[in-house]
Amino acid sequence: MNAAEVIGYVAAVLTTVAFVPQAWQTWRTRDAAGVSLGKYALFCTGVALWLVYGLLLGAWPIILANAVTLVLALAILVMKLRFR
């Protein structure tokens, strides 16, 4: 694994793990008042496109990070819609 791949994987882990506290907090409290519906709708669309891009390139750091991030962001989006 070269330095660029290591940087990619570290960046992927950090940016993906950053969504865990928001998802956990929203799930635990059942309160999504502070979550922006528009922001998460746009973000999920962008992450889905990054995932497709990663798949087209065969770039595993992009694929893995965006697959997990998409699941977490979609979970937050669903909770926003559900816990109104």
Side-chain angles (χ1 to χ4, degrees):
M1 191 178 306
N2 64 38
E5 287 179 311
V6 170
I7 290 169
Y9 280 109
V10 171
V13 167
L14 293 175
T15 56
T16 299
V17 170
F19 279 86
V20 172
Q22 181 69 62
W24 179 250
Q25 172 88 5
T26 305
W27 175 258
R28 189 176 55 80
T29 63
R30 302 290 197 263
D31 178 17
V35 174
S36 168
L37 180 61
K39 185 261 188 195
Y40 272 90
L42 288 171
F43 185 76
C44 287
T45 302
V47 171
L49 291 172
W50 271 113
L51 177 57
V52 171
Y53 177 71
L55 289 167
L56 292 171
L57 293 179
W60 283 103
I62 295 172
I63 293 166
L64 294 173
N66 286 291
V68 175
T69 301
L70 184 58
V71 168
L72 290 168
L74 282 172
I76 294 167
L77 182 62
V78 167
M79 288 186 278
K80 173 64 177 177
L81 294 169
R82 191 168 184 202
F83 302 147
R84 288 183 179 217

